[in-house]
Amino acid sequence: MSNDTLRNIGPIVLLGPPGAGKGTQAKRIVAKFQIPQISTGDLLRDNVARHTPLGMQAKAVMERGDLVSDDLVEEMVAERLQRDDARRGFILDGFPRTVEQAIWLDGFLKHGIFDNQKSKKAKSGDMAPIVIRMDVDYNKLKLRLTGRRTCPACGRIYNVHSQPASVDEACDVDGAKLVIRDDDREEVIQERLATYDRLTRPVADYYERKRRLFVVNGDRPLDQVTEEIFREILRHSAPVEGR
Ligand code: AP5
């Protein structure tokens, strides 16, 4: 086991507009620190694919580029966070996305059903998330989103411009045919970016006021962005008790 998998990482929140690289960087954090990625977008898309009651409510909202209601998403996140694999820490990718969700998360981490996850760090009152926002130029975001391809089997993310698959339109890992996300159409992208400006930018202000916001320039090669994020995570994490 590496030293990194023996650390209490705690909650990590990845903020940033659609296409900023949250999902891409989350997968790299998973690989290094062995904590789960909790992507509300992926969880919702899974519900849509399985035609669950939640998925049926979320489908039309997501296709328009709007946000699913706070209470539905919060309930889904609460259920996911209580699983054992989140004990050493977890990455929230795409959550919180409204100030209401951020306030809910603070309450959940402080008083919620989180007692089984308390480490020495938590007992000293610090279950506050590390909040990392990735900033990317607006026009580049559009290019990234229209060029994105995803593997439906393993979730690996590609880009026809910057990270193409080795064999055209097939996943390097499992050979599955890559897909374009339903909401990566030009008109929906526009709406998602507007929704981000209206409802999610204030979330960064909320965390900045609490001095928890760390801003990364996401407009650089992948490895450089990753390196800066890892450095920040290591600065905030603690060795597991008794090690
Ligand atoms: P969600 O799935 O969370 O989508 P999003 O926030 O719009 O973010 P994306 O997944 O589009 O982008 P990303 O930042 O992960 O970028 P990626 O790494 O893929 O949400 C979808 C919908 O679900 C929402 O619109 C909403 O309806 C609903 N929803 C989700 N959460 C919700 C919540 N909390 N409350 C209410 N509703 C919610 O990268 C993008 C592309 O760029 C890729 O092709 C990648 O290869 C490329 N790329 C990444 N980094 C770089 C780099 N450094 N250089 C060059 N290319 C790069």
Side-chain angles (χ1 to χ4, degrees):
M1 218 184 271
S2 82
N3 286 342
D4 296 327
T5 57
L6 291 173
R7 297 179 81 84
N8 278 320
I9 306 293
I12 300 172
V13 167
L14 292 183
L15 276 181
K22 303 181 294 294
T24 303
Q25 294 297 337
K27 287 178 176 37
R28 291 175 164 215
I29 301 171
V30 171
K32 183 168 171 71
F33 296 103
Q34 304 290 306
I35 54 172
Q37 171 192 12
I38 300 174
S39 158
T40 43
D42 285 349
L43 291 173
L44 289 167
R45 278 184 288 279
D46 176 59
N47 274 277
V48 171
R50 290 187 291 112
H51 305 287
T52 66
L54 168 60
M56 284 177 351
Q57 288 188 66
K59 188 173 188 296
V61 178
M62 293 171 78
E63 279 173 357
R64 291 199 295 272
D66 281 344
L67 295 187
V68 176
S69 71
D70 290 332
D71 52 340
L72 287 179
V73 178
E74 288 161 6
E75 194 183 326
M76 184 180 79
V77 170
E79 188 274 319
R80 180 62 187 87
L81 286 182
Q82 290 171 71
R83 295 200 208 148
D84 273 355
D85 66 345
R87 290 175 76 91
R88 272 180 49 247
F90 49 84
I91 309 150
L92 288 170
D93 160 9
F95 183 93
R97 235 175 167 98
T98 62
V99 172
E100 146 69 39
Q101 291 178 13
I103 294 170
W104 175 89
L105 179 66
D106 276 347
F108 187 83
L109 294 178
K110 214 178 270 168
H111 309 293
I113 334 131
F114 225 60
D115 285 354
N116 68 335
Q117 296 180 330
K118 285 188 175 167
S119 63
K120 200 184 248 168
K121 189 177 164 198
K123 279 180 198 135
S124 70
D126 185 13
M127 272 303 275
I130 308 167
V131 182
I132 300 171
R133 188 185 74 196
M134 278 169 274
D135 286 347
V136 177
D137 171 78
Y138 184 85
N139 289 317
K140 286 202 184 141
L141 290 172
K142 289 210 276 190
L143 195 70
R144 283 189 187 185
L145 291 169
T146 49
R148 173 167 53 192
R149 302 289 182 272
T150 311
C151 173
C154 71
R156 187 163 172 166
I157 302 165
Y158 296 86
N159 194 286
V160 294
H161 310 294
S162 55
Q163 287 104 43
S166 317
V167 179
D168 206 23
E169 302 296 316
C171 179
D172 292 350
V173 179
D174 48 44
K177 186 171 163 32
L178 303 182
V179 295
I180 299 177
R181 252 168 60 175
D182 285 345
D183 58 353
D184 279 348
R185 284 173 292 124
E186 191 105 24
E187 64 284 11
V188 187
I189 290 172
Q190 207 87 306
E191 194 48 45
R192 286 163 63 202
L193 291 169
T195 302
Y196 174 81
D197 275 337
R198 201 173 66 249
L199 296 172
T200 311
R201 263 191 207 286
V203 175
D205 300 338
Y206 170 86
Y207 285 124
E208 187 157 34
R209 281 197 294 278
K210 292 181 177 278
R211 299 181 181 282
R212 284 193 236 151
L213 183 70
F214 179 73
V215 179
V216 173
N217 175 4
D219 222 339
R220 290 171 301 161
L222 274 179
D223 289 349
Q224 284 181 27
V225 180
T226 307
E227 200 181 308
E228 201 175 342
I229 291 176
F230 283 180
R231 212 179 308 129
E232 189 59 15
I233 294 172
L234 286 169
R235 210 163 66 80
H236 284 274
S237 61
V240 169
E241 286 168 54
R243 300 273 177 181

